[in-house]
Amino acid sequence: MQQNYDAEPVSALSEVDDQELIELICQKNEAALSELYDRYARLLFSVAHHMVGDQAAAEEITLDAFTQVWEKAERYNPDRASLSTWMVSIARYRAIDRLRRWDARPEKDSVYWTDVNFELSSHHHNPEASTEENLLRERVQGALAELPVEQRQALALAYFNGMSHSQIADALDLPLGTVKTRIRLAMEKLRRLLWEEQRPE
């Protein structure tokens, strides 16, 4: 007999696997949806924020995605994708819809590297120190712009959205090894580009 999780605190579901959670959600078990939200809200928010570049919009997309999971849980097919991948796909489609409404550019170009806020240390009031920091920031942004799109995307999710390699693999629907390789190659190229800029003529 299946346990009545509605009568239990959400924490009682913490050991339940994703498949059983989605089955409970199909039965309109709100505690199961709450547990699923705790597990994956940050991932979906990160994906949405990466795509639309706006926190409020990303929060709305995340809530919309979980609403769709609640309403259409029975459509999930575990033979086609993991639950996290399925939910990321929902969030991505929601974000794409939002971008279309904004008449924005496609997802692959959604990282505005010139808008990335590089906090390099300090609260210097010394004009020379401030100038040096601004030059360093420009060098980093210029080096990032030299990276291939797919490497920039993986790097952005890892370092500016705080996602793990496995979360990035789910978000981009790529093998974990591919994600690790892209990030490694991106870091190597950044180091090389920055080193070359600093070498004396």
Side-chain angles (χ1 to χ4, degrees):
M1 178 181 297
Q2 188 176 39
Q3 183 175 349
N4 179 13
Y5 288 109
D6 281 321
E8 299 289 338
V10 174
S11 59
L13 292 165
S14 60
E15 301 302 320
V16 172
D17 64 25
D18 287 353
Q19 181 58 38
E20 188 168 355
L21 277 182
I22 198 68
E23 290 171 1
L24 290 168
I25 291 170
C26 287
Q27 301 168 23
K28 300 306 177 186
N29 185 303
E30 294 182 2
L33 182 66
S34 181
E35 171 63 25
L36 195 70
Y37 182 90
D38 289 343
R39 292 184 190 183
Y40 293 112
R42 182 177 178 183
L43 170 61
L44 268 59
F45 173 82
S46 294
V47 171
H49 190 269
H50 165 66
M51 293 178 66
V52 301
D54 179 86
Q55 181 170 339
E59 290 172 352
E60 291 178 8
I61 290 165
T62 301
L63 291 176
D64 287 346
F66 277 99
T67 298
Q68 187 168 339
V69 170
W70 175 254
E71 294 174 348
K72 301 179 180 180
E74 69 281 354
R75 295 189 180 182
Y76 169 63
N77 183 350
D79 295 330
R80 297 185 61 183
S82 68
L83 182 58
S84 61
T85 299
W86 181 65
M87 291 193 301
V88 163
S89 296
I90 293 174
R92 284 164 58 88
Y93 285 126
R94 292 284 183 175
I96 290 169
D97 286 342
R98 180 65 62 97
L99 289 172
R100 286 171 177 163
R101 290 201 297 272
W102 288 348
D103 194 25
R105 58 183 179 173
E107 174 203 357
K108 68 185 178 67
D109 294 322
S110 64
V111 178
Y112 290 79
W113 292 104
T114 55
D115 294 337
V116 173
N117 183 23
F118 294 99
E119 296 294 341
L120 294 177
S121 64
S122 70
H123 305 284
H124 288 302
H125 297 289
N126 184 316
E128 291 183 5
S130 297
T131 299
E132 184 176 345
E133 289 181 2
N134 288 335
L135 290 173
L136 177 57
R137 185 180 295 109
E138 290 175 3
R139 287 201 299 270
V140 172
Q141 290 173 336
L144 286 167
E146 293 290 321
L147 296 176
V149 171
E150 64 273 10
Q151 291 180 15
R152 287 205 307 269
Q153 184 182 50
L155 200 64
L157 291 174
Y159 290 96
F160 302 119
N161 291 66
M163 295 172 66
S164 69
H165 290 177
S166 58
Q167 288 174 329
I168 296 169
D170 279 340
L172 301 181
D173 195 21
L174 292 171
L176 181 58
T178 300
V179 169
K180 291 182 177 180
T181 297
R182 287 183 181 181
I183 292 174
R184 177 176 57 79
L185 291 174
M187 293 302 296
E188 289 176 354
K189 185 167 185 177
L190 281 178
R191 282 194 291 267
R192 185 169 65 254
L193 289 170
L194 292 171
W195 170 250
E196 287 176 353
E197 286 191 3
Q198 291 177 355
R199 291 173 59 185
E201 295 293 336

PDB file of all heavy atoms in Angstrom, residues 14 19-20 31 40 49 52 66 77 81 88 100-101 108 113 146 148-149 153 165 167 170 185:
ATOM      1  N   SER A  14      11.896  13.562   1.394  1.00  0.00           N
ATOM      2  CA  SER A  14      13.260  13.885   0.978  1.00  0.00           C
ATOM      3  C   SER A  14      14.025  12.683   0.446  1.00  0.00           C
ATOM      4  O   SER A  14      14.959  12.842  -0.339  1.00  0.00           O
ATOM      5  CB  SER A  14      14.032  14.520   2.138  1.00  0.00           C
ATOM      6  OG  SER A  14      14.092  13.622   3.238  1.00  0.00           O
ATOM      7  N   GLN A  19      11.126   9.714  -9.707  1.00  0.00           N
ATOM      8  CA  GLN A  19      10.044   9.014 -10.385  1.00  0.00           C
ATOM      9  C   GLN A  19       8.813   8.891  -9.492  1.00  0.00           C
ATOM     10  O   GLN A  19       7.684   9.111  -9.929  1.00  0.00           O
ATOM     11  CB  GLN A  19      10.511   7.623 -10.839  1.00  0.00           C
ATOM     12  CG  GLN A  19       9.454   6.817 -11.585  1.00  0.00           C
ATOM     13  CD  GLN A  19       8.935   7.517 -12.829  1.00  0.00           C
ATOM     14  OE1 GLN A  19       9.694   8.172 -13.551  1.00  0.00           O
ATOM     15  NE2 GLN A  19       7.641   7.400 -13.095  1.00  0.00           N
ATOM     16  N   GLU A  20       9.039   8.552  -8.224  1.00  0.00           N
ATOM     17  CA  GLU A  20       7.894   8.428  -7.312  1.00  0.00           C
ATOM     18  C   GLU A  20       7.281   9.799  -7.037  1.00  0.00           C
ATOM     19  O   GLU A  20       6.062   9.922  -6.902  1.00  0.00           O
ATOM     20  CB  GLU A  20       8.306   7.759  -6.000  1.00  0.00           C
ATOM     21  CG  GLU A  20       7.102   7.450  -5.109  1.00  0.00           C
ATOM     22  CD  GLU A  20       7.443   6.543  -3.939  1.00  0.00           C
ATOM     23  OE1 GLU A  20       8.583   6.070  -3.864  1.00  0.00           O
ATOM     24  OE2 GLU A  20       6.550   6.326  -3.108  1.00  0.00           O
ATOM     25  N   ALA A  31       2.441  18.057  -1.430  1.00  0.00           N
ATOM     26  CA  ALA A  31       3.706  17.897  -0.709  1.00  0.00           C
ATOM     27  C   ALA A  31       4.805  17.409  -1.652  1.00  0.00           C
ATOM     28  O   ALA A  31       5.968  17.810  -1.536  1.00  0.00           O
ATOM     29  CB  ALA A  31       3.535  16.923   0.453  1.00  0.00           C
ATOM     30  N   TYR A  40      14.719  21.334  -7.455  1.00  0.00           N
ATOM     31  CA  TYR A  40      15.078  21.792  -8.795  1.00  0.00           C
ATOM     32  C   TYR A  40      14.760  23.258  -9.100  1.00  0.00           C
ATOM     33  O   TYR A  40      15.047  23.719 -10.206  1.00  0.00           O
ATOM     34  CB  TYR A  40      14.379  20.917  -9.836  1.00  0.00           C
ATOM     35  CG  TYR A  40      14.881  19.491  -9.829  1.00  0.00           C
ATOM     36  CD1 TYR A  40      14.061  18.441  -9.416  1.00  0.00           C
ATOM     37  CD2 TYR A  40      16.185  19.203 -10.212  1.00  0.00           C
ATOM     38  CE1 TYR A  40      14.536  17.129  -9.398  1.00  0.00           C
ATOM     39  CE2 TYR A  40      16.659  17.907 -10.204  1.00  0.00           C
ATOM     40  CZ  TYR A  40      15.833  16.880  -9.793  1.00  0.00           C
ATOM     41  OH  TYR A  40      16.305  15.584  -9.770  1.00  0.00           O
ATOM     42  N   HIS A  49      17.262  32.418 -16.007  1.00  0.00           N
ATOM     43  CA  HIS A  49      17.984  33.689 -15.850  1.00  0.00           C
ATOM     44  C   HIS A  49      19.082  33.817 -16.888  1.00  0.00           C
ATOM     45  O   HIS A  49      19.328  34.903 -17.419  1.00  0.00           O
ATOM     46  CB  HIS A  49      18.559  33.782 -14.438  1.00  0.00           C
ATOM     47  CG  HIS A  49      19.107  35.134 -14.109  1.00  0.00           C
ATOM     48  ND1 HIS A  49      20.425  35.487 -14.329  1.00  0.00           N
ATOM     49  CD2 HIS A  49      18.501  36.239 -13.597  1.00  0.00           C
ATOM     50  CE1 HIS A  49      20.603  36.734 -13.949  1.00  0.00           C
ATOM     51  NE2 HIS A  49      19.465  37.220 -13.505  1.00  0.00           N
ATOM     52  N   VAL A  52      17.113  34.810 -20.212  1.00  0.00           N
ATOM     53  CA  VAL A  52      16.412  36.089 -20.336  1.00  0.00           C
ATOM     54  C   VAL A  52      17.157  37.251 -19.701  1.00  0.00           C
ATOM     55  O   VAL A  52      16.876  38.420 -19.985  1.00  0.00           O
ATOM     56  CB  VAL A  52      14.985  36.002 -19.740  1.00  0.00           C
ATOM     57  CG1 VAL A  52      14.183  34.926 -20.437  1.00  0.00           C
ATOM     58  CG2 VAL A  52      15.019  35.768 -18.229  1.00  0.00           C
ATOM     59  N   PHE A  66       6.929  25.094 -12.974  1.00  0.00           N
ATOM     60  CA  PHE A  66       6.406  24.163 -11.959  1.00  0.00           C
ATOM     61  C   PHE A  66       4.886  24.062 -12.028  1.00  0.00           C
ATOM     62  O   PHE A  66       4.326  23.001 -11.732  1.00  0.00           O
ATOM     63  CB  PHE A  66       6.864  24.591 -10.562  1.00  0.00           C
ATOM     64  CG  PHE A  66       8.252  24.110 -10.237  1.00  0.00           C
ATOM     65  CD1 PHE A  66       9.339  24.956 -10.376  1.00  0.00           C
ATOM     66  CD2 PHE A  66       8.472  22.804  -9.823  1.00  0.00           C
ATOM     67  CE1 PHE A  66      10.626  24.510 -10.094  1.00  0.00           C
ATOM     68  CE2 PHE A  66       9.752  22.355  -9.538  1.00  0.00           C
ATOM     69  CZ  PHE A  66      10.829  23.210  -9.671  1.00  0.00           C
ATOM     70  N   ASN A  77       7.592  11.211 -19.616  1.00  0.00           N
ATOM     71  CA  ASN A  77       7.950   9.859 -20.029  1.00  0.00           C
ATOM     72  C   ASN A  77       9.386   9.572 -19.591  1.00  0.00           C
ATOM     73  O   ASN A  77      10.328  10.113 -20.181  1.00  0.00           O
ATOM     74  CB  ASN A  77       7.821   9.725 -21.548  1.00  0.00           C
ATOM     75  CG  ASN A  77       8.107   8.316 -22.035  1.00  0.00           C
ATOM     76  OD1 ASN A  77       8.589   7.464 -21.271  1.00  0.00           O
ATOM     77  ND2 ASN A  77       7.822   8.045 -23.297  1.00  0.00           N
ATOM     78  N   ALA A  81      13.634  10.935 -21.107  1.00  0.00           N
ATOM     79  CA  ALA A  81      14.556  11.880 -20.456  1.00  0.00           C
ATOM     80  C   ALA A  81      14.422  11.761 -18.950  1.00  0.00           C
ATOM     81  O   ALA A  81      13.409  11.268 -18.444  1.00  0.00           O
ATOM     82  CB  ALA A  81      14.251  13.307 -20.892  1.00  0.00           C
ATOM     83  N   VAL A  88      13.759  21.104 -17.215  1.00  0.00           N
ATOM     84  CA  VAL A  88      14.596  22.144 -17.828  1.00  0.00           C
ATOM     85  C   VAL A  88      14.061  22.492 -19.214  1.00  0.00           C
ATOM     86  O   VAL A  88      14.041  23.666 -19.604  1.00  0.00           O
ATOM     87  CB  VAL A  88      16.060  21.681 -17.898  1.00  0.00           C
ATOM     88  CG1 VAL A  88      16.860  22.537 -18.870  1.00  0.00           C
ATOM     89  CG2 VAL A  88      16.703  21.742 -16.509  1.00  0.00           C
ATOM     90  N   ARG A 100      10.694  35.801 -27.222  1.00  0.00           N
ATOM     91  CA  ARG A 100       9.970  36.148 -28.443  1.00  0.00           C
ATOM     92  C   ARG A 100       9.045  37.327 -28.199  1.00  0.00           C
ATOM     93  O   ARG A 100       8.899  38.206 -29.050  1.00  0.00           O
ATOM     94  CB  ARG A 100       9.177  34.946 -28.949  1.00  0.00           C
ATOM     95  CG  ARG A 100      10.049  33.884 -29.597  1.00  0.00           C
ATOM     96  CD  ARG A 100       9.271  32.626 -29.888  1.00  0.00           C
ATOM     97  NE  ARG A 100      10.093  31.632 -30.562  1.00  0.00           N
ATOM     98  CZ  ARG A 100       9.788  30.344 -30.653  1.00  0.00           C
ATOM     99  NH1 ARG A 100       8.663  29.893 -30.102  1.00  0.00           N
ATOM    100  NH2 ARG A 100      10.582  29.506 -31.282  1.00  0.00           N
ATOM    101  N   ARG A 101       8.416  37.330 -27.024  1.00  0.00           N
ATOM    102  CA  ARG A 101       7.533  38.457 -26.714  1.00  0.00           C
ATOM    103  C   ARG A 101       8.326  39.749 -26.585  1.00  0.00           C
ATOM    104  O   ARG A 101       7.838  40.830 -26.880  1.00  0.00           O
ATOM    105  CB  ARG A 101       6.753  38.189 -25.418  1.00  0.00           C
ATOM    106  CG  ARG A 101       5.708  37.093 -25.555  1.00  0.00           C
ATOM    107  CD  ARG A 101       4.657  37.209 -24.475  1.00  0.00           C
ATOM    108  NE  ARG A 101       5.208  37.040 -23.138  1.00  0.00           N
ATOM    109  CZ  ARG A 101       5.344  35.869 -22.523  1.00  0.00           C
ATOM    110  NH1 ARG A 101       4.994  34.749 -23.151  1.00  0.00           N
ATOM    111  NH2 ARG A 101       5.839  35.799 -21.300  1.00  0.00           N
ATOM    112  N   LYS A 108      21.279  31.356 -27.733  1.00  0.00           N
ATOM    113  CA  LYS A 108      22.724  31.133 -27.827  1.00  0.00           C
ATOM    114  C   LYS A 108      23.517  32.431 -27.724  1.00  0.00           C
ATOM    115  O   LYS A 108      24.703  32.419 -27.425  1.00  0.00           O
ATOM    116  CB  LYS A 108      23.083  30.418 -29.135  1.00  0.00           C
ATOM    117  CG  LYS A 108      22.864  31.238 -30.408  1.00  0.00           C
ATOM    118  CD  LYS A 108      23.150  30.379 -31.618  1.00  0.00           C
ATOM    119  CE  LYS A 108      22.898  31.126 -32.917  1.00  0.00           C
ATOM    120  NZ  LYS A 108      23.829  32.227 -33.127  1.00  0.00           N
ATOM    121  N   TRP A 113      28.260  39.740 -22.538  1.00  0.00           N
ATOM    122  CA  TRP A 113      29.490  39.724 -21.747  1.00  0.00           C
ATOM    123  C   TRP A 113      29.904  41.124 -21.328  1.00  0.00           C
ATOM    124  O   TRP A 113      30.514  41.313 -20.283  1.00  0.00           O
ATOM    125  CB  TRP A 113      30.599  39.059 -22.550  1.00  0.00           C
ATOM    126  CG  TRP A 113      30.340  37.616 -22.730  1.00  0.00           C
ATOM    127  CD1 TRP A 113      29.896  36.989 -23.849  1.00  0.00           C
ATOM    128  CD2 TRP A 113      30.455  36.584 -21.749  1.00  0.00           C
ATOM    129  NE1 TRP A 113      29.739  35.649 -23.617  1.00  0.00           N
ATOM    130  CE2 TRP A 113      30.084  35.375 -22.358  1.00  0.00           C
ATOM    131  CE3 TRP A 113      30.846  36.581 -20.408  1.00  0.00           C
ATOM    132  CZ2 TRP A 113      30.080  34.165 -21.681  1.00  0.00           C
ATOM    133  CZ3 TRP A 113      30.853  35.380 -19.726  1.00  0.00           C
ATOM    134  CH2 TRP A 113      30.476  34.189 -20.356  1.00  0.00           C
ATOM    135  N   GLU A 146      36.405  36.327 -27.248  1.00  0.00           N
ATOM    136  CA  GLU A 146      37.152  35.515 -28.207  1.00  0.00           C
ATOM    137  C   GLU A 146      36.770  34.041 -28.151  1.00  0.00           C
ATOM    138  O   GLU A 146      37.130  33.265 -29.036  1.00  0.00           O
ATOM    139  CB  GLU A 146      38.660  35.654 -27.950  1.00  0.00           C
ATOM    140  CG  GLU A 146      39.226  37.036 -28.223  1.00  0.00           C
ATOM    141  CD  GLU A 146      39.235  37.347 -29.713  1.00  0.00           C
ATOM    142  OE1 GLU A 146      39.534  36.436 -30.508  1.00  0.00           O
ATOM    143  OE2 GLU A 146      38.919  38.497 -30.069  1.00  0.00           O
ATOM    144  N   PRO A 148      34.598  30.559 -28.367  1.00  0.00           N
ATOM    145  CA  PRO A 148      33.461  30.057 -29.141  1.00  0.00           C
ATOM    146  C   PRO A 148      32.177  30.151 -28.318  1.00  0.00           C
ATOM    147  O   PRO A 148      32.212  30.092 -27.084  1.00  0.00           O
ATOM    148  CB  PRO A 148      33.836  28.584 -29.411  1.00  0.00           C
ATOM    149  CG  PRO A 148      35.323  28.536 -29.252  1.00  0.00           C
ATOM    150  CD  PRO A 148      35.663  29.551 -28.208  1.00  0.00           C
ATOM    151  N   VAL A 149      31.052  30.296 -28.993  1.00  0.00           N
ATOM    152  CA  VAL A 149      29.767  30.484 -28.315  1.00  0.00           C
ATOM    153  C   VAL A 149      29.482  29.371 -27.312  1.00  0.00           C
ATOM    154  O   VAL A 149      29.061  29.621 -26.180  1.00  0.00           O
ATOM    155  CB  VAL A 149      28.618  30.567 -29.350  1.00  0.00           C
ATOM    156  CG1 VAL A 149      27.268  30.529 -28.654  1.00  0.00           C
ATOM    157  CG2 VAL A 149      28.742  31.835 -30.170  1.00  0.00           C
ATOM    158  N   GLN A 153      28.935  29.821 -23.289  1.00  0.00           N
ATOM    159  CA  GLN A 153      27.677  29.421 -22.658  1.00  0.00           C
ATOM    160  C   GLN A 153      27.931  28.541 -21.439  1.00  0.00           C
ATOM    161  O   GLN A 153      27.371  28.774 -20.362  1.00  0.00           O
ATOM    162  CB  GLN A 153      26.815  28.676 -23.678  1.00  0.00           C
ATOM    163  CG  GLN A 153      25.435  28.291 -23.159  1.00  0.00           C
ATOM    164  CD  GLN A 153      24.645  27.519 -24.192  1.00  0.00           C
ATOM    165  OE1 GLN A 153      25.153  26.557 -24.765  1.00  0.00           O
ATOM    166  NE2 GLN A 153      23.419  27.923 -24.442  1.00  0.00           N
ATOM    167  N   HIS A 165      28.619  21.088 -12.988  1.00  0.00           N
ATOM    168  CA  HIS A 165      28.795  20.506 -14.321  1.00  0.00           C
ATOM    169  C   HIS A 165      27.622  19.614 -14.702  1.00  0.00           C
ATOM    170  O   HIS A 165      27.163  19.629 -15.849  1.00  0.00           O
ATOM    171  CB  HIS A 165      30.100  19.711 -14.377  1.00  0.00           C
ATOM    172  CG  HIS A 165      31.320  20.583 -14.339  1.00  0.00           C
ATOM    173  ND1 HIS A 165      32.598  20.083 -14.312  1.00  0.00           N
ATOM    174  CD2 HIS A 165      31.469  21.932 -14.324  1.00  0.00           C
ATOM    175  CE1 HIS A 165      33.469  21.074 -14.280  1.00  0.00           C
ATOM    176  NE2 HIS A 165      32.810  22.205 -14.282  1.00  0.00           N
ATOM    177  N   GLN A 167      24.522  19.833 -13.628  1.00  0.00           N
ATOM    178  CA  GLN A 167      23.358  20.681 -13.895  1.00  0.00           C
ATOM    179  C   GLN A 167      23.450  21.319 -15.272  1.00  0.00           C
ATOM    180  O   GLN A 167      22.445  21.424 -15.986  1.00  0.00           O
ATOM    181  CB  GLN A 167      23.239  21.765 -12.821  1.00  0.00           C
ATOM    182  CG  GLN A 167      22.793  21.249 -11.467  1.00  0.00           C
ATOM    183  CD  GLN A 167      22.824  22.318 -10.398  1.00  0.00           C
ATOM    184  OE1 GLN A 167      23.650  23.234 -10.433  1.00  0.00           O
ATOM    185  NE2 GLN A 167      21.931  22.228  -9.434  1.00  0.00           N
ATOM    186  N   ASP A 170      22.527  18.763 -17.864  1.00  0.00           N
ATOM    187  CA  ASP A 170      21.070  18.619 -17.956  1.00  0.00           C
ATOM    188  C   ASP A 170      20.447  19.805 -18.684  1.00  0.00           C
ATOM    189  O   ASP A 170      19.574  19.643 -19.540  1.00  0.00           O
ATOM    190  CB  ASP A 170      20.453  18.507 -16.558  1.00  0.00           C
ATOM    191  CG  ASP A 170      20.567  17.099 -15.982  1.00  0.00           C
ATOM    192  OD1 ASP A 170      20.753  16.152 -16.779  1.00  0.00           O
ATOM    193  OD2 ASP A 170      20.467  16.952 -14.762  1.00  0.00           O
ATOM    194  N   LEU A 185      38.534  23.847 -21.865  1.00  0.00           N
ATOM    195  CA  LEU A 185      39.103  24.535 -23.021  1.00  0.00           C
ATOM    196  C   LEU A 185      38.916  26.046 -22.913  1.00  0.00           C
ATOM    197  O   LEU A 185      39.805  26.824 -23.287  1.00  0.00           O
ATOM    198  CB  LEU A 185      38.463  24.011 -24.308  1.00  0.00           C
ATOM    199  CG  LEU A 185      38.799  22.571 -24.698  1.00  0.00           C
ATOM    200  CD1 LEU A 185      37.990  22.148 -25.911  1.00  0.00           C
ATOM    201  CD2 LEU A 185      40.293  22.409 -24.959  1.00  0.00           C
TER     202      LEU A 185
END
